[in-house]
Amino acid sequence: NADGAGYYRFAMSPADQRKLEDNFARLSEREQRAFADSVDAAFRAGAMDSRGFLAAAARLAEAPVRQTAMAPLGTIGWMITNLAKDAAEKQALRDYVAKIYGPRLARIGIEPQAGESDDERLLRNALIGAMASTAREPKLRADLAGKGRKVLGLGGDGALHLDAVATDQRGLALAVAMEEGD
């Protein structure tokens, strides 16, 4: 699917899949997006096993385009909920999400930067959401929960403090505060 020009999906043998993954950085942005869509479709159709999907997800997590980088998360969330047999398998998948997305969040940071592009801001928020909700990273969840409680004025002066967290992270902070609250 040269330059991702066609609208079709493909499944490959595991060996061919690895070759494509090894050359992922050489693909155009559209080809990377077509690859992400095809990997997800192949997994959902049973043409790719979970190991192959997760290997591809690691490559996709570093894609320069936000939508491509974040594409595997919905399916990984589904795997945690529906495919993992026990708490240990669920945690292993959460740890994998932290492994493939955590370094990217660490590079761009959790605080908004002056002059950053909308896409950078959206990527940051998507990564924070992935790390807090899918990976359930304890330190980040504690930070978000604390910010959510500050927004609500809990444990302080009882007044709302909307500036306790960036506007576009407020909903997640409040949700985590409710999940982590007593």
Side-chain angles (χ1 to χ4, degrees), residues 6-75:
Y7 183 75
Y8 53 90
R9 294 176 170 156
F10 55 86
M12 306 172 85
S13 71
D16 287 339
Q17 179 80 22
R18 280 189 298 281
K19 287 179 189 175
L20 189 56
E21 289 170 18
D22 290 344
N23 290 286
F24 183 77
R26 295 177 54 198
L27 301 176
S28 72
E29 290 178 0
R30 289 177 60 180
E31 289 169 338
Q32 289 179 359
R33 184 66 188 137
F35 174 72
D37 185 55
S38 291
V39 164
D40 189 65
F43 175 74
R44 290 179 184 274
M48 176 185 286
D49 65 12
S50 57
R51 184 167 293 160
F53 178 84
L54 292 171
R59 187 64 71 178
L60 291 167
E62 287 299 321
V65 175
R66 171 181 45 88
Q67 295 89 334
T68 304
M70 306 311 289
L73 281 170
T75 299

Side-chain angles (χ1 to χ4, degrees), residues 115-135:
E116 71 184 352
S117 69
D118 287 342
D119 200 57
E120 190 77 8
R121 180 182 52 80
L122 291 169
L123 174 61
R124 171 181 294 101
N125 291 330
L127 289 167
I128 290 170
M131 294 299 293
S133 299
T134 306

Side-chain angles (χ1 to χ4, degrees), residues 60-144:
L60 291 167
E62 287 299 321
V65 175
R66 171 181 45 88
Q67 295 89 334
T68 304
M70 306 311 289
L73 281 170
T75 299
I76 295 174
W78 179 88
M79 293 167 102
I80 292 169
T81 302
N82 300 295
L83 197 58
K85 297 178 188 128
D86 56 32
E89 285 187 8
K90 288 178 190 293
Q91 189 58 50
L93 286 166
R94 288 186 181 107
D95 291 345
Y96 190 70
V97 170
K99 177 183 171 185
I100 65 175
Y101 288 103
R104 191 160 186 183
L105 179 58
R107 283 193 305 272
I108 66 172
I110 62 169
E111 297 299 326
Q113 304 297 315
E116 71 184 352
S117 69
D118 287 342
D119 200 57
E120 190 77 8
R121 180 182 52 80
L122 291 169
L123 174 61
R124 171 181 294 101
N125 291 330
L127 289 167
I128 290 170
M131 294 299 293
S133 299
T134 306
R136 301 186 65 80
E137 200 282 321
K139 185 177 176 186
L140 179 61
R141 287 181 65 81
D143 179 57
L144 287 168

